[in-house]
Amino acid sequence: MTHVIDETIDRLLTRINALSLPGPGYTRPSYSPLESQAHAIVAEEAEALGLEVTRDAGMNLFARLPGRDRAAPPLYIGSHVDTVPFGGAYDGAAGVAGAMALVAAFVKSGETPPVDIVVTVTRAEESVWFPVSYIGSRAALGRLKPEEMEAVRCDTGRTLADHMRDEGADPEAVLRGPGLAPAQFIELHIEQGPVLFDADEPFAIVKGVRGGLRYRTARIEGTWAHSGGAPRETRADAVFALADLVTGLDRVWGEVLAGGQDLAVTFGRVDAATEEHAFAKVPGLCDFCLDLRSDDVAVLERMDAELKAQIAAIEAARGVRFALGAQSRSQPSPLSAALGDRLAEAAAPLGHAPRRILSGGGHDAAAFAQAGWDSVMVFLRNWDGSHNPAEGMDPADLGQAVRMVHAAFADRQAPR
């Protein structure tokens, strides 16, 4: 079984990551031909194992291995294959490769799982392309909203509905629903942080996914002036105004953490480098985005109020004007403790005692949890961060996690 799992992981990752726009790193946009080609690779591999492959109205892919009890709620397991621009080799793709390795282990051993196992490859998980969270999984669950179909992709300016139709999806059918019935979902995913790497632990069980409050297109409007001629008291400097906001929110961030609450604050894009900006000019314009994340809605609300209070003070002091633009949100999502316990119990005989950890990033598992599923994640040790070309993962760690899931869902009534 070990050979089958490891070989499947290596082959799938190699094949999927051969599909990318020019680097550095890997770029497979959401609802693009490259994403569709990656789905086709998974379908080909699944059909070679004898699995039944289907696609829903959102063009999510499902490859089903029959279990002993066909009437029982199945186990869905998988992730996504789209990436952020210039992303890494493992965010999403590792979970898909791990899911395929799990079913390959059952098929090659001749063992029938207790319930159906459904390899699940979602579309459009990375919200960098469209300002909508968990597009593919929410489409599968019948939870997308009509107005979200009009969201435009950042690189093309065309709507989500247009791009869905390009790849064979039916937006109207997605909105009609009803979506998948509640079952179980497991997502294998790199951690996207240093905790497991620093602790020298191969994997962990995720207990919850942070929610997010985001302003993606914020702007500060000041006054252009000569850098040598404008006195300090007359300036309306957009960059100094942003610096005030950054340092102010950083101070509050520290206070929140010191109070034992969860929070992450990120100014992920700062743009004061248009052609209008120059060495000898006081900057009259600065664009930025702000990403607030927490496992507590009350903390997000507190930070939104703090943001607006600080902006009012900065505008009065600096003579600038802030325009935050549209706000987008995702809700904090506790994950299934019972399913996490089942995995942890299966890990113990294999020599592992996985810690419980919080996910700072949003993931499809959160969408399934919000729809009433027993949903859980397994984080894999990662180095050099995530969403960048240097993203690291040892495939052996993924193999160990797959063996844990196999042990948790092996048919205990089958002969050993």
Side-chain angles (χ1 to χ4, degrees):
M1 182 179 72
T2 296
H3 171 74
V4 170
I5 289 172
D6 294 345
E7 193 274 334
T8 302
I9 288 170
D10 289 342
R11 185 178 66 256
L12 260 295
L13 287 174
T14 298
R15 295 191 68 189
I16 290 171
N17 286 319
L19 300 169
S20 175
L21 295 175
Y26 303 88
T27 301
R28 287 185 296 275
S30 300
Y31 281 109
S32 70
L34 284 170
E35 187 192 40
S36 295
Q37 291 167 35
H39 278 236
I41 286 172
V42 179
E44 176 190 320
E45 296 267 350
E47 288 168 347
L49 291 170
L51 276 61
E52 176 192 4
V53 175
T54 59
R55 294 172 176 83
D56 66 8
M59 291 302 286
N60 297 293
L61 184 147
F62 305 97
R64 183 178 293 260
L65 174 67
R68 179 173 46 81
D69 184 354
R70 302 302 308 278
L75 168 67
Y76 290 75
I77 180 168
S79 193
H80 61 97
V81 292
D82 60 323
T83 72
V84 299
F86 309 114
Y90 304 109
D91 183 341
V96 173
M100 285 297 298
L102 176 67
V103 295
F106 276 107
V107 170
K108 298 298 185 182
S109 69
E111 182 182 10
T112 301
V115 299
D116 288 8
I117 297 179
V118 185
V119 174
T120 304
V121 190
T122 60
R123 306 293 298 232
E125 190 269 356
E126 297 290 3
S127 61
V128 66
W129 298 104
F130 299 95
V132 179
S133 296
Y134 318 132
I135 290 172
S137 51
R138 288 176 58 224
L141 295 163
R143 295 169 70 88
L144 276 183
K145 300 175 182 178
E147 59 269 23
E148 291 172 323
M149 291 293 184
E150 300 307 310
V152 298
R153 209 172 84 177
C154 65
D155 58 337
T156 67
R158 298 177 63 230
T159 68
L160 171 58
D162 288 339
H163 278 282
M164 291 178 79
R165 292 188 187 99
D166 287 350
E167 302 309 315
D170 184 341
E172 290 73 24
V174 168
L175 293 175
R176 287 195 300 269
L180 296 169
Q184 302 172 96
F185 180 74
I186 295 176
E187 184 171 10
L188 303 165
H189 203 285
I190 59 171
E191 180 197 347
Q192 302 180 293
V195 173
L196 294 176
F197 181 73
D198 289 347
D200 194 26
E201 298 172 12
F203 57 82
I205 295 169
V206 180
K207 62 184 179 180
V209 177
R210 280 173 169 157
L213 190 157
R214 304 177 180 99
Y215 293 97
R216 299 169 184 263
T217 57
R219 167 168 286 191
I220 306 171
E221 297 174 348
T223 302
W224 300 99
H226 189 287
S227 65
R232 183 178 187 274
E233 63 271 16
T234 68
R235 294 188 180 200
D237 188 316
V239 169
F240 270 105
L242 178 63
D244 289 344
L245 183 63
V246 171
T247 55
L249 289 188
D250 185 43
R251 174 183 53 78
V252 179
W253 183 10
E255 293 171 358
V256 170
L257 295 181
Q261 294 174 299
D262 176 64
L263 178 65
V265 178
T266 306
F267 288 83
R269 176 184 56 81
V270 173
D271 184 2
T274 67
E275 292 182 357
E276 198 171 0
H277 291 81
F279 171 75
K281 295 174 73 172
V282 174
L285 189 69
C286 184
D287 292 330
F288 68 98
C289 66
L290 177 61
D291 184 355
L292 305 170
R293 302 194 186 205
S294 177
D295 65 357
D296 187 340
V297 172
V299 171
L300 294 175
E301 294 292 353
R302 171 189 170 185
M303 290 303 296
D304 197 37
E306 183 69 37
L307 166 69
K308 289 166 182 173
Q310 290 199 19
I311 283 175
I314 294 166
E315 286 179 331
R318 294 278 183 189
V320 300
R321 176 182 172 275
F322 281 76
L324 287 175
Q327 181 192 98
S328 62
R329 289 178 178 249
S330 61
Q331 292 300 308
S333 302
L335 298 182
S336 171
L339 194 48
D341 290 344
R342 180 171 182 172
L343 294 177
E345 290 169 5
L350 301 176
H352 301 290
R355 69 172 68 198
R356 306 299 172 102
I357 195 170
L358 186 68
S359 172
H363 299 284
D364 286 320
F368 285 97
Q370 290 166 13
W373 289 46
D374 289 326
S375 176
V376 78
M377 295 187 72
V378 177
F379 264 175
L380 305 159
R381 175 169 41 189
N382 160 248
W383 55 92
D384 290 329
S386 182
H387 285 189
N388 73 81
E391 197 173 85
M393 182 198 78
D394 186 346
D397 292 345
L398 177 55
Q400 292 187 67
V402 171
R403 284 186 278 279
M404 173 185 66
V405 178
H406 180 272
F409 284 88
D411 191 341
R412 292 170 177 81
Q413 294 188 22
R416 295 289 182 181

